[in-house]
Amino acid sequence: MNQNEPVIRVKDLVVSFGAFRAVDGVSFDVRRGEIFGFLGANGAGKTTTIRTICGILNPSSGSVEVDGHDISSSTAVLKPHIGYMSQKFTLYPDLTVRENLYFAGSLYGMTPKQIAERSHKLMDFIGLSEELPDPVSHLSGGVKQMAALASSLLHDPELVFLDEPTAGTSPQTRASFWALIRRLAERGKTVFVTTHYMDEAEYCGRIALMERGKIVAMGTPAELKKKFFPVKPLELSFTKPVQHAVRQALEKAGIASAVFGATLRVRAPERAELERVIAPFQDGVSVQEAEPTLEDVFLQAVSGRKAV
Amino acid sequence: MNFSWRRARSVALKEYKHILRDPFTLLVTLVLPLVFVGFFGFVIDLDYKHMRVYVRDNDQTSVSRRFLQEAASSGYFDLKPIHGQFQLDQALERNDSPALLVIRRGFGKNVRAGNPENPGEIQLLSDGTDNVQASIMGSYMQGVVQKANAVFAKDNPDLTDAAAGAGERIRSRFLFNPELNSRWFIVPALSTIIIGFLAIVLTALTVAKEWENGSMELLLSTPVRPSEIVLGKLVPYFLLTFFDVLVVFLLAIYVFQIPFLGSFLFYMVACWVYITGALALGLVISVVTRQQQASIQFAFAVGLLPSFIFSGFIFPIENMPAFFQYFTALFPQRWFLLISRTVFLSDAAPATLATALGAIVVFASAMILLAVHKFKTDVEP
């Protein structure tokens, strides 16, 4: 198969629950071997989109094609090629990690020997001992997440869907998750991941920003930064405690600012205006150009839409 | 999209582990049958004996005394003679007896005369607030009357045949359970109640639990099919429930000494079918409600209630209004109860129970199909 050929094609997807449109006319392609990130607030429609592609929710209208098969009519053909890690913890709390893995693997038709070999490799990579004797409910949050990930990767799926895999885990766990995700992509697996963490989104090949059931921006991180910040944003740092006063002055002048640690960030095109507003605080403020982060992009994309 | 035995087996093995690790399920399954058997087998005794009966003998002849002797020796009655209005009022006030027996003046004379137009009469006034006891007492007294009639006829060979037969209008014999021993009647029926309740509750929780803890989402994203999940969940609970049936069976035979006259094989087949139907009904409830709390409420409503009320366990079906007689036919409990009691107490050929077996086969098949058909394969709320 061609590397650049889309493996997932979503076209005008609408998923409604009663009168509520959780996904409201979404279209995108995901290419084979890509790490595709889905960003957005809770309730933006990320999970609903993922569940629909995995074949456990039915589209209200529009189409989802995976590997050339329509998902609604070919779920049975596609399911063996899909690995899904839900946002909810879905392992059985009263079974051990090994028992959970054994169960998941056997549903995919793997033999006990295959399961043992494969889980050994996975656990080794994840850095988890498969000999954990306790039921899963006794394990810590990070270990549980790792076990859930292992369970969704056990059958070596072509397409991996991870719904907020790193939510509530430690920075070390997040780092090893992403190391694993990158390695999956290197092996030609397609990884579709949702996250809350903007810094994680930087690892994605392409990202889509979702807001209220719609995709408001899509592209590589660099493309998005360029698109929303043709001129780099400005960062105000303070040498005197005037941050609050400056913020109020900016607000009065209608210039949106965002607190960023000890600094304030402001969109660049308003530079002339900005200089005028901060003139009274001159000796307490310095202005320099900053690299836009995906967080800036997200805020920009969302506020831009709201303004319309 | 083929059914996979391997996947069904995986589900069954997983379910088996859940059972082993859930002390509550194990406790309920192992203890509940013992509680039921203990309660219904030992504590509740529907055989009324030594019922206190106040007696007012206004006749005071050798015949009336002979009659009372007959009643006392039956063992069912504790006769307490009362004299005069004062004692009668006291007895009524104490309200400690279900009945009052009055022998009219002239009873002895009439009996001796043996005139069918003018027989000796006794009056039994019983407390209708306990209608079960009242009717049992009525029929026991009927028996005493018959026996007394026979005695009088022997004592008085001058009586014509017609006169001697005057008191023998009612003639009933209880086949298979000649003593109408209520344990013989109740204990074989206990399996009906235990399966009809326990099996439904056990499976009613299983699918709902998967929905509530999120594991259903994982299941649905794998290639496993509803029919495989349904079968996989039936098997372990089937074994568990069948174990209970065997326990109750052995208690019935060895502890309660109840005869088992019918075909053991037929009884076992009927048990298997009935257990399967009850478990599948639990699954249907679970699949439809997808919530443990709602499931358990439904399970009580369709498991416990019909097991007692519509099965014939408490209220005999024959005494129900016509509509309810047909209505009870919808419940497998009714059919299995019939099978249970029949195979224990009579050696009737299995063919006579073909309708009952057919009914539970139909029920079990329908429930399995419904559970598979209603199984939701997407996570839409």
Side-chain angles (χ1 to χ4, degrees), chain A residues 171-195:
Chain A
Q172 292 98 308
T173 312
R174 282 172 62 192
S176 32
F177 255 107
W178 279 95
L180 183 64
I181 290 171
R182 272 199 299 274
R183 214 169 110 170
L184 286 170
E186 279 161 20
R187 289 198 196 147
K189 312 287 181 196
T190 309
V191 182
F192 193 121
V193 61
T194 74
T195 181

PDB file of all heavy atoms in Angstrom, chain A residues 171-195:
ATOM      1  N   PRO A 171       4.295  12.696  34.490  1.00  0.00           N
ATOM      2  CA  PRO A 171       5.109  13.104  33.328  1.00  0.00           C
ATOM      3  C   PRO A 171       5.953  11.957  32.775  1.00  0.00           C
ATOM      4  O   PRO A 171       6.099  11.826  31.559  1.00  0.00           O
ATOM      5  CB  PRO A 171       5.989  14.211  33.894  1.00  0.00           C
ATOM      6  CG  PRO A 171       5.231  14.748  35.061  1.00  0.00           C
ATOM      7  CD  PRO A 171       4.464  13.597  35.628  1.00  0.00           C
ATOM      8  N   GLN A 172       6.472  11.089  33.657  1.00  0.00           N
ATOM      9  CA  GLN A 172       7.283   9.957  33.167  1.00  0.00           C
ATOM     10  C   GLN A 172       6.425   9.024  32.322  1.00  0.00           C
ATOM     11  O   GLN A 172       6.833   8.555  31.267  1.00  0.00           O
ATOM     12  CB  GLN A 172       7.875   9.141  34.331  1.00  0.00           C
ATOM     13  CG  GLN A 172       8.921   9.861  35.130  1.00  0.00           C
ATOM     14  CD  GLN A 172       8.295  10.453  36.397  1.00  0.00           C
ATOM     15  OE1 GLN A 172       7.288  11.169  36.322  1.00  0.00           O
ATOM     16  NE2 GLN A 172       8.900  10.149  37.540  1.00  0.00           N
ATOM     17  N   THR A 173       5.215   8.757  32.828  1.00  0.00           N
ATOM     18  CA  THR A 173       4.325   7.868  32.080  1.00  0.00           C
ATOM     19  C   THR A 173       3.980   8.477  30.733  1.00  0.00           C
ATOM     20  O   THR A 173       3.970   7.787  29.710  1.00  0.00           O
ATOM     21  CB  THR A 173       3.027   7.621  32.875  1.00  0.00           C
ATOM     22  OG1 THR A 173       3.369   7.286  34.205  1.00  0.00           O
ATOM     23  CG2 THR A 173       2.213   6.531  32.260  1.00  0.00           C
ATOM     24  N   ARG A 174       3.724   9.780  30.735  1.00  0.00           N
ATOM     25  CA  ARG A 174       3.402  10.450  29.476  1.00  0.00           C
ATOM     26  C   ARG A 174       4.546  10.314  28.496  1.00  0.00           C
ATOM     27  O   ARG A 174       4.346  10.037  27.307  1.00  0.00           O
ATOM     28  CB  ARG A 174       3.110  11.931  29.726  1.00  0.00           C
ATOM     29  CG  ARG A 174       1.737  12.166  30.278  1.00  0.00           C
ATOM     30  CD  ARG A 174       1.558  13.600  30.699  1.00  0.00           C
ATOM     31  NE  ARG A 174       1.683  14.528  29.578  1.00  0.00           N
ATOM     32  CZ  ARG A 174       1.790  15.845  29.720  1.00  0.00           C
ATOM     33  NH1 ARG A 174       1.811  16.392  30.914  1.00  0.00           N
ATOM     34  NH2 ARG A 174       1.893  16.613  28.654  1.00  0.00           N
ATOM     35  N   ALA A 175       5.762  10.495  29.006  1.00  0.00           N
ATOM     36  CA  ALA A 175       6.927  10.398  28.123  1.00  0.00           C
ATOM     37  C   ALA A 175       7.027   9.002  27.521  1.00  0.00           C
ATOM     38  O   ALA A 175       7.258   8.844  26.313  1.00  0.00           O
ATOM     39  CB  ALA A 175       8.191  10.750  28.900  1.00  0.00           C
ATOM     40  N   SER A 176       6.808   7.955  28.353  1.00  0.00           N
ATOM     41  CA  SER A 176       6.954   6.620  27.765  1.00  0.00           C
ATOM     42  C   SER A 176       5.802   6.300  26.819  1.00  0.00           C
ATOM     43  O   SER A 176       5.988   5.583  25.833  1.00  0.00           O
ATOM     44  CB  SER A 176       7.116   5.540  28.838  1.00  0.00           C
ATOM     45  OG  SER A 176       6.430   5.854  29.996  1.00  0.00           O
ATOM     46  N   PHE A 177       4.628   6.848  27.110  1.00  0.00           N
ATOM     47  CA  PHE A 177       3.514   6.690  26.165  1.00  0.00           C
ATOM     48  C   PHE A 177       3.900   7.237  24.793  1.00  0.00           C
ATOM     49  O   PHE A 177       3.703   6.578  23.767  1.00  0.00           O
ATOM     50  CB  PHE A 177       2.294   7.476  26.654  1.00  0.00           C
ATOM     51  CG  PHE A 177       1.219   6.616  27.217  1.00  0.00           C
ATOM     52  CD1 PHE A 177       0.992   6.572  28.573  1.00  0.00           C
ATOM     53  CD2 PHE A 177       0.413   5.853  26.384  1.00  0.00           C
ATOM     54  CE1 PHE A 177      -0.004   5.784  29.107  1.00  0.00           C
ATOM     55  CE2 PHE A 177      -0.582   5.059  26.907  1.00  0.00           C
ATOM     56  CZ  PHE A 177      -0.803   5.026  28.281  1.00  0.00           C
ATOM     57  N   TRP A 178       4.441   8.427  24.799  1.00  0.00           N
ATOM     58  CA  TRP A 178       4.750   9.047  23.510  1.00  0.00           C
ATOM     59  C   TRP A 178       5.911   8.370  22.801  1.00  0.00           C
ATOM     60  O   TRP A 178       5.936   8.281  21.573  1.00  0.00           O
ATOM     61  CB  TRP A 178       4.955  10.555  23.665  1.00  0.00           C
ATOM     62  CG  TRP A 178       3.605  11.198  23.704  1.00  0.00           C
ATOM     63  CD1 TRP A 178       2.899  11.531  24.818  1.00  0.00           C
ATOM     64  CD2 TRP A 178       2.777  11.482  22.577  1.00  0.00           C
ATOM     65  NE1 TRP A 178       1.668  12.022  24.469  1.00  0.00           N
ATOM     66  CE2 TRP A 178       1.564  12.007  23.096  1.00  0.00           C
ATOM     67  CE3 TRP A 178       2.912  11.358  21.199  1.00  0.00           C
ATOM     68  CZ2 TRP A 178       0.510  12.408  22.271  1.00  0.00           C
ATOM     69  CZ3 TRP A 178       1.875  11.757  20.387  1.00  0.00           C
ATOM     70  CH2 TRP A 178       0.684  12.268  20.912  1.00  0.00           C
ATOM     71  N   ALA A 179       6.835   7.860  23.579  1.00  0.00           N
ATOM     72  CA  ALA A 179       7.927   7.095  22.953  1.00  0.00           C
ATOM     73  C   ALA A 179       7.328   5.890  22.224  1.00  0.00           C
ATOM     74  O   ALA A 179       7.694   5.570  21.086  1.00  0.00           O
ATOM     75  CB  ALA A 179       8.909   6.644  24.025  1.00  0.00           C
ATOM     76  N   LEU A 180       6.376   5.270  22.869  1.00  0.00           N
ATOM     77  CA  LEU A 180       5.741   4.097  22.272  1.00  0.00           C
ATOM     78  C   LEU A 180       4.927   4.476  21.031  1.00  0.00           C
ATOM     79  O   LEU A 180       4.971   3.784  20.009  1.00  0.00           O
ATOM     80  CB  LEU A 180       4.848   3.433  23.318  1.00  0.00           C
ATOM     81  CG  LEU A 180       4.173   2.150  22.867  1.00  0.00           C
ATOM     82  CD1 LEU A 180       5.220   1.094  22.570  1.00  0.00           C
ATOM     83  CD2 LEU A 180       3.217   1.644  23.932  1.00  0.00           C
ATOM     84  N   ILE A 181       4.213   5.584  21.133  1.00  0.00           N
ATOM     85  CA  ILE A 181       3.401   6.017  19.995  1.00  0.00           C
ATOM     86  C   ILE A 181       4.293   6.299  18.787  1.00  0.00           C
ATOM     87  O   ILE A 181       3.994   5.894  17.656  1.00  0.00           O
ATOM     88  CB  ILE A 181       2.579   7.267  20.390  1.00  0.00           C
ATOM     89  CG1 ILE A 181       1.484   6.863  21.392  1.00  0.00           C
ATOM     90  CG2 ILE A 181       1.973   7.932  19.153  1.00  0.00           C
ATOM     91  CD1 ILE A 181       0.741   8.024  22.022  1.00  0.00           C
ATOM     92  N   ARG A 182       5.403   6.956  19.033  1.00  0.00           N
ATOM     93  CA  ARG A 182       6.318   7.243  17.910  1.00  0.00           C
ATOM     94  C   ARG A 182       6.847   5.956  17.303  1.00  0.00           C
ATOM     95  O   ARG A 182       6.980   5.813  16.097  1.00  0.00           O
ATOM     96  CB  ARG A 182       7.483   8.125  18.390  1.00  0.00           C
ATOM     97  CG  ARG A 182       7.164   9.609  18.318  1.00  0.00           C
ATOM     98  CD  ARG A 182       8.430  10.455  18.351  1.00  0.00           C
ATOM     99  NE  ARG A 182       9.168  10.247  19.591  1.00  0.00           N
ATOM    100  CZ  ARG A 182       8.916  10.918  20.718  1.00  0.00           C
ATOM    101  NH1 ARG A 182       7.971  11.827  20.751  1.00  0.00           N
ATOM    102  NH2 ARG A 182       9.621  10.680  21.795  1.00  0.00           N
ATOM    103  N   ARG A 183       7.141   4.998  18.180  1.00  0.00           N
ATOM    104  CA  ARG A 183       7.674   3.750  17.660  1.00  0.00           C
ATOM    105  C   ARG A 183       6.630   2.999  16.833  1.00  0.00           C
ATOM    106  O   ARG A 183       6.962   2.364  15.829  1.00  0.00           O
ATOM    107  CB  ARG A 183       8.150   2.877  18.812  1.00  0.00           C
ATOM    108  CG  ARG A 183       9.360   2.080  18.396  1.00  0.00           C
ATOM    109  CD  ARG A 183       9.984   1.436  19.560  1.00  0.00           C
ATOM    110  NE  ARG A 183       9.764   0.002  19.491  1.00  0.00           N
ATOM    111  CZ  ARG A 183      10.385  -0.857  20.299  1.00  0.00           C
ATOM    112  NH1 ARG A 183      11.204  -0.413  21.216  1.00  0.00           N
ATOM    113  NH2 ARG A 183      10.158  -2.131  20.173  1.00  0.00           N
ATOM    114  N   LEU A 184       5.394   3.093  17.257  1.00  0.00           N
ATOM    115  CA  LEU A 184       4.315   2.467  16.481  1.00  0.00           C
ATOM    116  C   LEU A 184       4.264   3.075  15.077  1.00  0.00           C
ATOM    117  O   LEU A 184       4.157   2.366  14.084  1.00  0.00           O
ATOM    118  CB  LEU A 184       2.962   2.681  17.174  1.00  0.00           C
ATOM    119  CG  LEU A 184       2.693   1.863  18.429  1.00  0.00           C
ATOM    120  CD1 LEU A 184       1.431   2.364  19.124  1.00  0.00           C
ATOM    121  CD2 LEU A 184       2.564   0.386  18.082  1.00  0.00           C
ATOM    122  N   ALA A 185       4.338   4.410  15.037  1.00  0.00           N
ATOM    123  CA  ALA A 185       4.254   5.100  13.749  1.00  0.00           C
ATOM    124  C   ALA A 185       5.443   4.735  12.861  1.00  0.00           C
ATOM    125  O   ALA A 185       5.301   4.538  11.652  1.00  0.00           O
ATOM    126  CB  ALA A 185       4.185   6.601  13.964  1.00  0.00           C
ATOM    127  N   GLU A 186       6.615   4.605  13.471  1.00  0.00           N
ATOM    128  CA  GLU A 186       7.808   4.219  12.688  1.00  0.00           C
ATOM    129  C   GLU A 186       7.606   2.860  12.031  1.00  0.00           C
ATOM    130  O   GLU A 186       8.155   2.579  10.973  1.00  0.00           O
ATOM    131  CB  GLU A 186       9.038   4.145  13.610  1.00  0.00           C
ATOM    132  CG  GLU A 186       9.664   5.501  13.890  1.00  0.00           C
ATOM    133  CD  GLU A 186      10.551   5.459  15.129  1.00  0.00           C
ATOM    134  OE1 GLU A 186      10.961   4.343  15.526  1.00  0.00           O
ATOM    135  OE2 GLU A 186      10.816   6.544  15.697  1.00  0.00           O
ATOM    136  N   ARG A 187       6.841   2.016  12.690  1.00  0.00           N
ATOM    137  CA  ARG A 187       6.592   0.675  12.133  1.00  0.00           C
ATOM    138  C   ARG A 187       5.443   0.662  11.140  1.00  0.00           C
ATOM    139  O   ARG A 187       4.984  -0.406  10.749  1.00  0.00           O
ATOM    140  CB  ARG A 187       6.247  -0.289  13.258  1.00  0.00           C
ATOM    141  CG  ARG A 187       7.423  -0.614  14.113  1.00  0.00           C
ATOM    142  CD  ARG A 187       7.099  -1.866  14.874  1.00  0.00           C
ATOM    143  NE  ARG A 187       8.007  -2.027  15.976  1.00  0.00           N
ATOM    144  CZ  ARG A 187       7.678  -2.583  17.123  1.00  0.00           C
ATOM    145  NH1 ARG A 187       6.443  -3.002  17.297  1.00  0.00           N
ATOM    146  NH2 ARG A 187       8.550  -2.726  18.066  1.00  0.00           N
ATOM    147  N   GLY A 188       4.941   1.855  10.827  1.00  0.00           N
ATOM    148  CA  GLY A 188       3.909   1.921   9.790  1.00  0.00           C
ATOM    149  C   GLY A 188       2.494   1.850  10.310  1.00  0.00           C
ATOM    150  O   GLY A 188       1.536   1.785   9.551  1.00  0.00           O
ATOM    151  N   LYS A 189       2.348   1.839  11.633  1.00  0.00           N
ATOM    152  CA  LYS A 189       1.001   1.848  12.188  1.00  0.00           C
ATOM    153  C   LYS A 189       0.452   3.272  12.140  1.00  0.00           C
ATOM    154  O   LYS A 189       1.207   4.236  12.266  1.00  0.00           O
ATOM    155  CB  LYS A 189       0.992   1.392  13.658  1.00  0.00           C
ATOM    156  CG  LYS A 189       1.777   0.140  13.907  1.00  0.00           C
ATOM    157  CD  LYS A 189       1.064  -1.057  13.370  1.00  0.00           C
ATOM    158  CE  LYS A 189       1.869  -2.311  13.663  1.00  0.00           C
ATOM    159  NZ  LYS A 189       1.428  -3.444  12.866  1.00  0.00           N
ATOM    160  N   THR A 190      -0.826   3.362  11.956  1.00  0.00           N
ATOM    161  CA  THR A 190      -1.461   4.669  11.986  1.00  0.00           C
ATOM    162  C   THR A 190      -1.979   4.904  13.403  1.00  0.00           C
ATOM    163  O   THR A 190      -2.676   4.046  13.945  1.00  0.00           O
ATOM    164  CB  THR A 190      -2.630   4.702  10.987  1.00  0.00           C
ATOM    165  OG1 THR A 190      -2.148   4.227   9.730  1.00  0.00           O
ATOM    166  CG2 THR A 190      -3.190   6.094  10.847  1.00  0.00           C
ATOM    167  N   VAL A 191      -1.607   6.033  13.967  1.00  0.00           N
ATOM    168  CA  VAL A 191      -2.021   6.306  15.346  1.00  0.00           C
ATOM    169  C   VAL A 191      -2.907   7.542  15.371  1.00  0.00           C
ATOM    170  O   VAL A 191      -2.547   8.600  14.860  1.00  0.00           O
ATOM    171  CB  VAL A 191      -0.799   6.526  16.270  1.00  0.00           C
ATOM    172  CG1 VAL A 191      -1.270   6.752  17.704  1.00  0.00           C
ATOM    173  CG2 VAL A 191       0.146   5.352  16.193  1.00  0.00           C
ATOM    174  N   PHE A 192      -4.070   7.365  15.939  1.00  0.00           N
ATOM    175  CA  PHE A 192      -5.035   8.445  16.040  1.00  0.00           C
ATOM    176  C   PHE A 192      -5.181   8.710  17.535  1.00  0.00           C
ATOM    177  O   PHE A 192      -5.601   7.852  18.293  1.00  0.00           O
ATOM    178  CB  PHE A 192      -6.358   7.932  15.449  1.00  0.00           C
ATOM    179  CG  PHE A 192      -7.382   8.989  15.195  1.00  0.00           C
ATOM    180  CD1 PHE A 192      -7.892   9.194  13.913  1.00  0.00           C
ATOM    181  CD2 PHE A 192      -7.872   9.767  16.230  1.00  0.00           C
ATOM    182  CE1 PHE A 192      -8.849  10.156  13.674  1.00  0.00           C
ATOM    183  CE2 PHE A 192      -8.837  10.738  15.999  1.00  0.00           C
ATOM    184  CZ  PHE A 192      -9.330  10.926  14.721  1.00  0.00           C
ATOM    185  N   VAL A 193      -4.788   9.919  17.964  1.00  0.00           N
ATOM    186  CA  VAL A 193      -4.725  10.151  19.405  1.00  0.00           C
ATOM    187  C   VAL A 193      -5.440  11.455  19.773  1.00  0.00           C
ATOM    188  O   VAL A 193      -5.373  12.435  19.033  1.00  0.00           O
ATOM    189  CB  VAL A 193      -3.245  10.134  19.884  1.00  0.00           C
ATOM    190  CG1 VAL A 193      -2.439  11.231  19.222  1.00  0.00           C
ATOM    191  CG2 VAL A 193      -3.129  10.236  21.395  1.00  0.00           C
ATOM    192  N   THR A 194      -6.150  11.432  20.865  1.00  0.00           N
ATOM    193  CA  THR A 194      -6.731  12.687  21.353  1.00  0.00           C
ATOM    194  C   THR A 194      -6.022  13.061  22.642  1.00  0.00           C
ATOM    195  O   THR A 194      -5.539  12.197  23.367  1.00  0.00           O
ATOM    196  CB  THR A 194      -8.236  12.571  21.682  1.00  0.00           C
ATOM    197  OG1 THR A 194      -8.389  11.837  22.891  1.00  0.00           O
ATOM    198  CG2 THR A 194      -9.003  11.908  20.573  1.00  0.00           C
ATOM    199  N   THR A 195      -5.948  14.343  22.885  1.00  0.00           N
ATOM    200  CA  THR A 195      -5.285  14.777  24.106  1.00  0.00           C
ATOM    201  C   THR A 195      -5.778  16.145  24.543  1.00  0.00           C
ATOM    202  O   THR A 195      -6.350  16.908  23.773  1.00  0.00           O
ATOM    203  CB  THR A 195      -3.747  14.806  23.930  1.00  0.00           C
ATOM    204  OG1 THR A 195      -3.170  15.215  25.163  1.00  0.00           O
ATOM    205  CG2 THR A 195      -3.332  15.747  22.833  1.00  0.00           C
TER     206      THR A 195
END
